[in-house]
Amino acid sequence: MTPPGEITRRQLLRRIGTAAFVAGPGAGLLSACATAGTGGDPAPTTSITASADSKNPFGVDAKKPLEVVIFSGGYGDAYARDLHEELYKKEFPGVSVKHNATQQIGTQLRPRFVGGDAPDVLNNSGPESMDLAALAAEQHLADLGVLFDAPSIDDPAKKVRDTVTPAVLDNALINGKELVLNYTVSHRALWYNAKLFESKGWKVPVTWTEFVELGEKAKQENIVLFAYPGQKGPYYQLWNVLYTAAKIGGNQIIIDIDNLVDNAWTAEPMKQAVTAWVDIQARFGDKAYFGLDHTQTQIKHLQNKVLFYPVGSWIENEMAKDKPKDFQYAIAPIPDVTAADKMPYGAIQVGVGENFVVGAKGKNPQGGLEYLRIMLSKEGARGFTEKTKNITVVNGAAAGVDLPAGLRSAADAQDKAGQNVITEARFEGWYKELFDYGTEQINVVMAGRITPEKFCANMQKKADAVKKDDAVAKQTRSQ
């Protein structure tokens, strides 16, 4: 066994997800890339020191091209192409910015990172998002501490870190270093059509009993009470189960899972959460949704064939072109599962998301840092909200922006929740192998092919394996 802290290059490549390239048509690619950097030690990370120039704190070469890769999902990519990249060009007239929008982040970017050809800015999101902990272990991610300590574009007397919500800084950390920028504020709960509820005279359920009763009413209308996408989106239901467990047992449930605490997945609140949702699927679900992707399922939701859909607040912008006039997105908290839930009704998950990183070994990491600084300006953040109808982490940037009904609903729900906020699970970014396994297993248990107890046991076994794997850098959180 490799001693703790000593990770071979082969192990790191496996963690990044490139092991699949070893065999088959990609073998030559991986072999060439693996020899390019020599033996087992990672190449040194580019060191960037802030300068005294508040207008160019990273010493960007104004003539050096910049490459930006954006995940073209719920937010699209126009915010980058038409806003942030244009602001960068305005700051450095004549500079060339290469824009690449894709939904295949892993497929396109894994071989590039391994080969030392990383983009300068990467929006690492979607079902093919890369393992950031593994990239960090290979020193592929630029240290963003220099960004957070740089002068804000709007007020050079303030550091960037003083202009964003504190959760940004907590979630930036991998192995104690600030390596990731989470750019958006998201609300994950159950989404529904407020106009349909109004027309039917239905009330949003507060208790699980009311939830089941509403399921019976919906069934009579040929409406599925609840559905999630079994293809390219089962992690929506994994999130939903995790946050239901936190609703029952408190945020410590998620903190323990993130910290790889022994028996965290087999804790009673986790079993209760999985059991509750498996029962809903069995009584009111439709197995056809296991074969649909997120877009297809969301279309069914817009057609009032699905009552509740577990997703985040990006949904409204993602489906803006398809949303009919008689559909009004609104957010509903998870109903009380038991009479003894630790978190009261109204608790919802509020977190930061949509992560961006700068390639430490890219051709222009200085430009990448400046690009993120522009994103964190009020002009950059407000423009993002106007284009995507989603709020960023920049304090006060959305003031006065006309928000759509669904986002207003989410903001109101956040206000009502107060301090009763369900924490965000972080193992998705810390231990992607565990998260990916969870997205597979959630389909299996929801389809009734294994019991909730077996699901929890399988997840615990996988978590234990990750915990024992010396190739995986371990992360911890206290809250």
Side-chain angles (χ1 to χ4, degrees):
M1 178 180 291
T2 305
E6 295 183 17
I7 305 174
T8 68
R9 184 171 181 79
R10 174 64 61 181
Q11 288 173 316
L12 283 167
L13 293 177
R14 176 171 63 83
R15 298 304 307 149
I16 294 173
T18 53
F21 289 101
V22 174
L29 170 65
L30 182 57
S31 300
C33 294
T35 56
T38 74
D41 295 328
T45 301
T46 302
S47 178
I48 300 174
T49 304
S51 72
D53 183 357
S54 63
K55 292 185 178 181
N56 188 8
F58 313 119
V60 177
D61 182 340
K63 297 180 181 179
K64 210 167 191 178
L66 184 78
E67 182 182 4
V68 179
V69 176
I70 299 294
F71 171 68
S72 183
Y75 299 125
D77 67 306
Y79 70 86
R81 183 187 63 245
D82 300 336
L83 174 64
H84 296 148
E85 291 170 17
E86 289 302 314
L87 289 174
Y88 187 88
K89 292 176 184 177
K90 182 178 179 181
E91 186 172 341
F92 304 107
V95 70
S96 170
V97 177
K98 182 180 179 181
H99 175 89
N100 180 17
T102 179
Q103 292 194 0
Q104 297 179 310
I105 294 295
T107 299
Q108 291 192 16
L109 274 296
R110 283 189 188 108
R112 290 191 56 188
F113 270 97
V114 174
D117 182 33
D120 303 306
V121 177
L122 169 62
N123 170 207
N124 183 57
S125 189
E128 284 196 27
S129 60
M130 297 184 67
D131 187 331
L132 293 182
L135 290 177
E138 273 247 301
Q139 301 185 45
H140 282 300
L141 306 183
D143 192 334
L144 301 188
V146 66
L147 164 68
F148 293 129
D149 285 331
S152 161
I153 288 177
D154 301 298
D155 182 357
K158 287 185 178 181
K159 293 181 178 180
V160 170
R161 69 172 65 248
D162 297 325
T163 68
V164 298
T165 184
V168 172
L169 306 176
D170 292 338
N171 285 272
L173 296 172
I174 298 179
N175 292 334
K177 291 186 177 181
E178 294 171 324
L179 302 177
V180 185
L181 168 63
N182 286 277
Y183 191 57
T184 62
V185 175
S186 63
H187 306 77
R188 295 175 187 164
L190 304 174
W191 289 78
Y192 68 100
N193 180 4
K195 289 187 176 180
L196 175 65
F197 271 62
E198 183 180 0
S199 68
K200 299 290 185 182
W202 292 342
K203 293 183 179 180
V204 174
V206 173
T207 68
W208 208 258
T209 298
E210 293 175 355
F211 192 45
V212 171
E213 290 173 349
L214 182 58
E216 296 291 353
K217 293 178 182 178
K219 185 186 289 187
Q220 294 175 8
E221 303 273 353
N222 293 318
I223 302 173
V224 174
L225 174 64
F226 164 86
Y228 72 93
Q231 303 296 320
K232 296 185 179 180
Y235 51 88
Y236 288 178
Q237 178 59 5
L238 181 59
W239 288 336
N240 190 38
V241 165
L242 287 166
Y243 300 142
T244 301
K247 170 77 171 61
I248 298 169
N251 281 328
Q252 193 63 44
I253 297 295
I254 292 178
I255 293 170
D256 286 349
I257 284 174
D258 285 345
N259 288 339
L260 300 177
V261 171
D262 292 345
N263 303 318
W265 282 96
T266 56
E268 191 60 30
M270 270 303 305
K271 292 180 182 178
Q272 290 176 308
V274 179
T275 300
W277 283 109
V278 167
D279 178 66
I280 289 296
Q281 174 65 37
R283 296 173 68 173
F284 305 111
D286 183 343
K287 289 187 177 181
Y289 288 92
F290 291 120
L292 302 185
D293 63 22
H294 63 291
T295 301
Q296 293 167 326
T297 305
Q298 287 157 197
I299 290 292
K300 297 285 188 181
H301 190 216
L302 292 176
Q303 295 171 342
N304 291 326
K305 294 180 179 179
V306 174
L307 205 57
F308 288 106
Y309 183 63
V311 72
S313 46
W314 59 83
I315 181 68
E316 193 162 24
N317 180 68
E318 186 171 3
M319 303 306 292
K321 294 180 180 179
D322 299 295
K323 186 173 72 68
K325 291 182 179 180
D326 64 349
F327 195 102
Q328 181 178 311
Y329 278 111
I331 194 171
I334 296 168
D336 290 339
V337 184
T338 75
D341 285 4
K342 282 196 175 181
M343 302 189 80
Y345 176 76
I348 62 170
Q349 194 279 328
V350 181
V352 294
E354 205 63 15
N355 64 70
F356 288 77
V357 295
V358 171
K361 303 173 186 178
K363 297 179 177 64
N364 189 6
Q366 294 86 355
L369 291 171
E370 182 61 19
Y371 183 89
L372 296 191
R373 194 171 77 112
I374 289 171
M375 287 176 59
L376 293 171
S377 69
K378 285 192 175 180
E379 183 177 7
R382 180 186 175 90
F384 177 91
T385 297
E386 290 173 339
K387 285 183 176 295
T388 68
K389 304 304 180 186
N390 282 272
I391 300 172
T392 74
V393 298
V394 179
N395 297 328
V401 177
D402 183 21
L403 300 176
L407 200 53
R408 285 201 308 272
S409 170
D412 290 345
Q414 181 178 340
D415 290 342
K416 291 177 182 177
Q419 297 302 308
N420 296 306
V421 172
I422 298 172
T423 191
E424 185 172 12
R426 298 183 188 174
F427 75 97
E428 175 182 358
W430 288 354
Y431 311 116
K432 193 169 187 300
E433 183 178 345
L434 176 60
F435 184 79
D436 288 347
Y437 181 72
T439 64
E440 297 171 1
Q441 287 293 296
I442 199 66
N443 269 349
V444 177
V445 70
M446 290 297 291
R449 296 198 294 273
I450 59 174
T451 65
E453 290 78 13
K454 182 62 174 174
F455 168 85
C456 293
N458 287 350
M459 292 303 299
Q460 188 58 53
K461 183 178 180 180
K462 187 67 173 181
D464 291 342
V466 170
K467 187 174 183 178
K468 294 175 183 177
D469 189 345
D470 296 332
V472 180
K474 305 306 187 296
Q475 318 292 326
T476 58
R477 60 181 294 191
S478 59
Q479 60 181 12

mmCIF file of all heavy atoms in Angstrom, residues 193-196 298-305 316 319-329:
data_model
loop_
_atom_site.group_PDB
_atom_site.id
_atom_site.type_symbol
_atom_site.label_atom_id
_atom_site.label_comp_id
_atom_site.label_asym_id
_atom_site.label_seq_id
_atom_site.Cartn_x
_atom_site.Cartn_y
_atom_site.Cartn_z
ATOM 1 N N ASN A 193 -45.857 24.142 -9.917
ATOM 2 C CA ASN A 193 -46.556 25.175 -10.680
ATOM 3 C C ASN A 193 -47.588 25.849 -9.781
ATOM 4 O O ASN A 193 -48.635 25.280 -9.477
ATOM 5 C CB ASN A 193 -47.238 24.544 -11.899
ATOM 6 C CG ASN A 193 -47.997 25.561 -12.740
ATOM 7 O OD1 ASN A 193 -47.971 26.767 -12.473
ATOM 8 N ND2 ASN A 193 -48.697 25.085 -13.766
ATOM 9 N N ALA A 194 -47.291 27.067 -9.345
ATOM 10 C CA ALA A 194 -48.184 27.786 -8.436
ATOM 11 C C ALA A 194 -49.554 28.033 -9.064
ATOM 12 O O ALA A 194 -50.583 28.018 -8.369
ATOM 13 C CB ALA A 194 -47.543 29.110 -8.024
ATOM 14 N N LYS A 195 -49.592 28.242 -10.374
ATOM 15 C CA LYS A 195 -50.875 28.501 -11.037
ATOM 16 C C LYS A 195 -51.747 27.247 -11.054
ATOM 17 O O LYS A 195 -52.985 27.344 -10.944
ATOM 18 C CB LYS A 195 -50.636 29.018 -12.455
ATOM 19 C CG LYS A 195 -50.078 30.434 -12.496
ATOM 20 C CD LYS A 195 -50.014 30.978 -13.917
ATOM 21 C CE LYS A 195 -49.538 32.424 -13.924
ATOM 22 N NZ LYS A 195 -49.476 32.986 -15.309
ATOM 23 N N LEU A 196 -51.136 26.078 -11.184
ATOM 24 C CA LEU A 196 -51.900 24.841 -11.137
ATOM 25 C C LEU A 196 -52.506 24.651 -9.749
ATOM 26 O O LEU A 196 -53.689 24.293 -9.625
ATOM 27 C CB LEU A 196 -51.002 23.652 -11.486
ATOM 28 C CG LEU A 196 -51.647 22.270 -11.351
ATOM 29 C CD1 LEU A 196 -52.787 22.109 -12.352
ATOM 30 C CD2 LEU A 196 -50.605 21.168 -11.532
ATOM 31 N N GLN A 298 -38.281 17.751 -17.301
ATOM 32 C CA GLN A 298 -38.705 19.123 -17.043
ATOM 33 C C GLN A 298 -39.807 19.566 -18.003
ATOM 34 O O GLN A 298 -40.672 20.363 -17.636
ATOM 35 C CB GLN A 298 -37.481 20.044 -17.093
ATOM 36 C CG GLN A 298 -36.603 19.865 -15.860
ATOM 37 C CD GLN A 298 -35.165 20.277 -16.016
ATOM 38 O OE1 GLN A 298 -34.321 19.892 -15.210
ATOM 39 N NE2 GLN A 298 -34.836 21.059 -17.033
ATOM 40 N N ILE A 299 -39.805 19.034 -19.204
ATOM 41 C CA ILE A 299 -40.901 19.298 -20.137
ATOM 42 C C ILE A 299 -42.192 18.688 -19.600
ATOM 43 O O ILE A 299 -43.269 19.302 -19.641
ATOM 44 C CB ILE A 299 -40.586 18.744 -21.542
ATOM 45 C CG1 ILE A 299 -39.471 19.562 -22.210
ATOM 46 C CG2 ILE A 299 -41.838 18.726 -22.413
ATOM 47 C CD1 ILE A 299 -39.861 20.980 -22.570
ATOM 48 N N LYS A 300 -42.119 17.473 -19.077
ATOM 49 C CA LYS A 300 -43.286 16.822 -18.475
ATOM 50 C C LYS A 300 -43.809 17.651 -17.301
ATOM 51 O O LYS A 300 -45.026 17.783 -17.114
ATOM 52 C CB LYS A 300 -42.919 15.421 -17.986
ATOM 53 C CG LYS A 300 -42.480 14.453 -19.075
ATOM 54 C CD LYS A 300 -43.654 13.950 -19.890
ATOM 55 C CE LYS A 300 -43.224 12.844 -20.836
ATOM 56 N NZ LYS A 300 -44.351 12.346 -21.680
ATOM 57 N N HIS A 301 -42.890 18.221 -16.546
ATOM 58 C CA HIS A 301 -43.273 19.080 -15.432
ATOM 59 C C HIS A 301 -44.038 20.300 -15.937
ATOM 60 O O HIS A 301 -45.081 20.678 -15.378
ATOM 61 C CB HIS A 301 -41.999 19.513 -14.686
ATOM 62 C CG HIS A 301 -42.239 20.197 -13.389
ATOM 63 N ND1 HIS A 301 -41.451 21.239 -12.940
ATOM 64 C CD2 HIS A 301 -43.194 20.022 -12.438
ATOM 65 C CE1 HIS A 301 -41.888 21.637 -11.765
ATOM 66 N NE2 HIS A 301 -42.944 20.927 -11.437
ATOM 67 N N LEU A 302 -43.543 20.904 -17.004
ATOM 68 C CA LEU A 302 -44.205 22.075 -17.583
ATOM 69 C C LEU A 302 -45.576 21.728 -18.161
ATOM 70 O O LEU A 302 -46.443 22.593 -18.279
ATOM 71 C CB LEU A 302 -43.330 22.691 -18.675
ATOM 72 C CG LEU A 302 -42.025 23.359 -18.217
ATOM 73 C CD1 LEU A 302 -41.222 23.833 -19.419
ATOM 74 C CD2 LEU A 302 -42.299 24.517 -17.277
ATOM 75 N N GLN A 303 -45.753 20.464 -18.514
ATOM 76 C CA GLN A 303 -47.044 20.006 -19.050
ATOM 77 C C GLN A 303 -48.002 19.557 -17.950
ATOM 78 O O GLN A 303 -49.066 19.001 -18.234
ATOM 79 C CB GLN A 303 -46.798 18.846 -20.025
ATOM 80 C CG GLN A 303 -46.021 19.244 -21.270
ATOM 81 C CD GLN A 303 -45.590 18.044 -22.112
ATOM 82 O OE1 GLN A 303 -45.577 16.899 -21.627
ATOM 83 N NE2 GLN A 303 -45.236 18.293 -23.363
ATOM 84 N N ASN A 304 -47.619 19.819 -16.703
ATOM 85 C CA ASN A 304 -48.433 19.441 -15.534
ATOM 86 C C ASN A 304 -48.670 17.931 -15.442
ATOM 87 O O ASN A 304 -49.687 17.479 -14.913
ATOM 88 C CB ASN A 304 -49.773 20.184 -15.527
ATOM 89 C CG ASN A 304 -49.602 21.670 -15.248
ATOM 90 O OD1 ASN A 304 -48.721 22.064 -14.494
ATOM 91 N ND2 ASN A 304 -50.439 22.483 -15.878
ATOM 92 N N LYS A 305 -47.696 17.170 -15.918
ATOM 93 C CA LYS A 305 -47.765 15.724 -15.750
ATOM 94 C C LYS A 305 -46.996 15.276 -14.507
ATOM 95 O O LYS A 305 -47.095 14.131 -14.087
ATOM 96 C CB LYS A 305 -47.215 15.028 -16.998
ATOM 97 C CG LYS A 305 -48.075 15.276 -18.236
ATOM 98 C CD LYS A 305 -47.520 14.580 -19.461
ATOM 99 C CE LYS A 305 -48.420 14.834 -20.678
ATOM 100 N NZ LYS A 305 -47.901 14.186 -21.904
ATOM 101 N N GLU A 316 -35.692 27.769 -13.603
ATOM 102 C CA GLU A 316 -36.547 28.739 -14.283
ATOM 103 C C GLU A 316 -35.897 29.286 -15.547
ATOM 104 O O GLU A 316 -36.539 29.393 -16.595
ATOM 105 C CB GLU A 316 -36.898 29.882 -13.328
ATOM 106 C CG GLU A 316 -38.013 30.781 -13.826
ATOM 107 C CD GLU A 316 -38.613 31.595 -12.705
ATOM 108 O OE1 GLU A 316 -37.927 31.814 -11.692
ATOM 109 O OE2 GLU A 316 -39.772 32.004 -12.831
ATOM 110 N N MET A 319 -35.527 26.554 -18.403
ATOM 111 C CA MET A 319 -36.733 26.191 -19.149
ATOM 112 C C MET A 319 -37.515 27.407 -19.632
ATOM 113 O O MET A 319 -38.676 27.282 -20.030
ATOM 114 C CB MET A 319 -37.624 25.313 -18.279
ATOM 115 C CG MET A 319 -36.955 24.045 -17.771
ATOM 116 S SD MET A 319 -36.217 23.028 -19.088
ATOM 117 C CE MET A 319 -37.709 22.469 -19.938
ATOM 118 N N ALA A 320 -36.883 28.569 -19.621
ATOM 119 C CA ALA A 320 -37.587 29.815 -19.962
ATOM 120 C C ALA A 320 -38.229 29.773 -21.347
ATOM 121 O O ALA A 320 -39.347 30.259 -21.543
ATOM 122 C CB ALA A 320 -36.619 30.989 -19.862
ATOM 123 N N LYS A 321 -37.541 29.174 -22.320
ATOM 124 C CA LYS A 321 -38.072 29.156 -23.680
ATOM 125 C C LYS A 321 -39.245 28.195 -23.844
ATOM 126 O O LYS A 321 -40.039 28.330 -24.783
ATOM 127 C CB LYS A 321 -36.960 28.788 -24.669
ATOM 128 C CG LYS A 321 -35.852 29.836 -24.759
ATOM 129 C CD LYS A 321 -34.775 29.418 -25.747
ATOM 130 C CE LYS A 321 -33.677 30.454 -25.840
ATOM 131 N NZ LYS A 321 -32.592 30.046 -26.780
ATOM 132 N N ASP A 322 -39.346 27.219 -22.953
ATOM 133 C CA ASP A 322 -40.393 26.202 -23.069
ATOM 134 C C ASP A 322 -41.569 26.445 -22.124
ATOM 135 O O ASP A 322 -42.612 25.813 -22.260
ATOM 136 C CB ASP A 322 -39.810 24.811 -22.776
ATOM 137 C CG ASP A 322 -38.710 24.434 -23.748
ATOM 138 O OD1 ASP A 322 -39.020 24.292 -24.944
ATOM 139 O OD2 ASP A 322 -37.550 24.286 -23.322
ATOM 140 N N LYS A 323 -41.402 27.338 -21.166
ATOM 141 C CA LYS A 323 -42.408 27.539 -20.127
ATOM 142 C C LYS A 323 -43.666 28.198 -20.694
ATOM 143 O O LYS A 323 -43.604 29.298 -21.230
ATOM 144 C CB LYS A 323 -41.841 28.396 -18.990
ATOM 145 C CG LYS A 323 -42.769 28.534 -17.785
ATOM 146 C CD LYS A 323 -42.074 29.251 -16.646
ATOM 147 C CE LYS A 323 -41.896 30.724 -16.931
ATOM 148 N NZ LYS A 323 -43.179 31.455 -16.963
ATOM 149 N N PRO A 324 -44.819 27.537 -20.558
ATOM 150 C CA PRO A 324 -46.074 28.143 -21.034
ATOM 151 C C PRO A 324 -46.547 29.252 -20.093
ATOM 152 O O PRO A 324 -46.094 29.356 -18.940
ATOM 153 C CB PRO A 324 -47.048 26.960 -21.025
ATOM 154 C CG PRO A 324 -46.504 26.024 -20.008
ATOM 155 C CD PRO A 324 -45.007 26.179 -20.058
ATOM 156 N N LYS A 325 -47.462 30.064 -20.557
ATOM 157 C CA LYS A 325 -47.923 31.205 -19.767
ATOM 158 C C LYS A 325 -48.677 30.783 -18.517
ATOM 159 O O LYS A 325 -48.751 31.547 -17.543
ATOM 160 C CB LYS A 325 -48.805 32.110 -20.637
ATOM 161 C CG LYS A 325 -48.048 32.836 -21.745
ATOM 162 C CD LYS A 325 -48.963 33.749 -22.526
ATOM 163 C CE LYS A 325 -48.201 34.487 -23.625
ATOM 164 N NZ LYS A 325 -49.086 35.388 -24.415
ATOM 165 N N ASP A 326 -49.259 29.588 -18.543
ATOM 166 C CA ASP A 326 -50.033 29.155 -17.379
ATOM 167 C C ASP A 326 -49.189 28.371 -16.377
ATOM 168 O O ASP A 326 -49.725 27.686 -15.498
ATOM 169 C CB ASP A 326 -51.237 28.309 -17.810
ATOM 170 C CG ASP A 326 -50.828 27.004 -18.496
ATOM 171 O OD1 ASP A 326 -49.634 26.867 -18.819
ATOM 172 O OD2 ASP A 326 -51.703 26.147 -18.707
ATOM 173 N N PHE A 327 -47.864 28.491 -16.491
ATOM 174 C CA PHE A 327 -46.968 27.824 -15.551
ATOM 175 C C PHE A 327 -46.157 28.872 -14.805
ATOM 176 O O PHE A 327 -45.509 29.720 -15.411
ATOM 177 C CB PHE A 327 -46.028 26.865 -16.288
ATOM 178 C CG PHE A 327 -45.331 25.884 -15.377
ATOM 179 C CD1 PHE A 327 -45.768 24.572 -15.279
ATOM 180 C CD2 PHE A 327 -44.243 26.278 -14.602
ATOM 181 C CE1 PHE A 327 -45.133 23.663 -14.435
ATOM 182 C CE2 PHE A 327 -43.606 25.384 -13.757
ATOM 183 C CZ PHE A 327 -44.053 24.072 -13.674
ATOM 184 N N GLN A 328 -46.188 28.811 -13.488
ATOM 185 C CA GLN A 328 -45.429 29.747 -12.650
ATOM 186 C C GLN A 328 -44.611 28.964 -11.633
ATOM 187 O O GLN A 328 -45.154 28.361 -10.712
ATOM 188 C CB GLN A 328 -46.367 30.712 -11.925
ATOM 189 C CG GLN A 328 -45.633 31.726 -11.043
ATOM 190 C CD GLN A 328 -46.589 32.691 -10.375
ATOM 191 O OE1 GLN A 328 -47.460 33.272 -11.033
ATOM 192 N NE2 GLN A 328 -46.447 32.860 -9.070
ATOM 193 N N TYR A 329 -43.298 28.969 -11.819
ATOM 194 C CA TYR A 329 -42.433 28.230 -10.904
ATOM 195 C C TYR A 329 -42.531 28.779 -9.485
ATOM 196 O O TYR A 329 -42.565 29.998 -9.273
ATOM 197 C CB TYR A 329 -40.973 28.309 -11.351
ATOM 198 C CG TYR A 329 -40.599 27.334 -12.434
ATOM 199 C CD1 TYR A 329 -40.294 27.776 -13.728
ATOM 200 C CD2 TYR A 329 -40.532 25.967 -12.168
ATOM 201 C CE1 TYR A 329 -39.927 26.878 -14.720
ATOM 202 C CE2 TYR A 329 -40.170 25.066 -13.167
ATOM 203 C CZ TYR A 329 -39.865 25.531 -14.427
ATOM 204 O OH TYR A 329 -39.514 24.633 -15.418
#
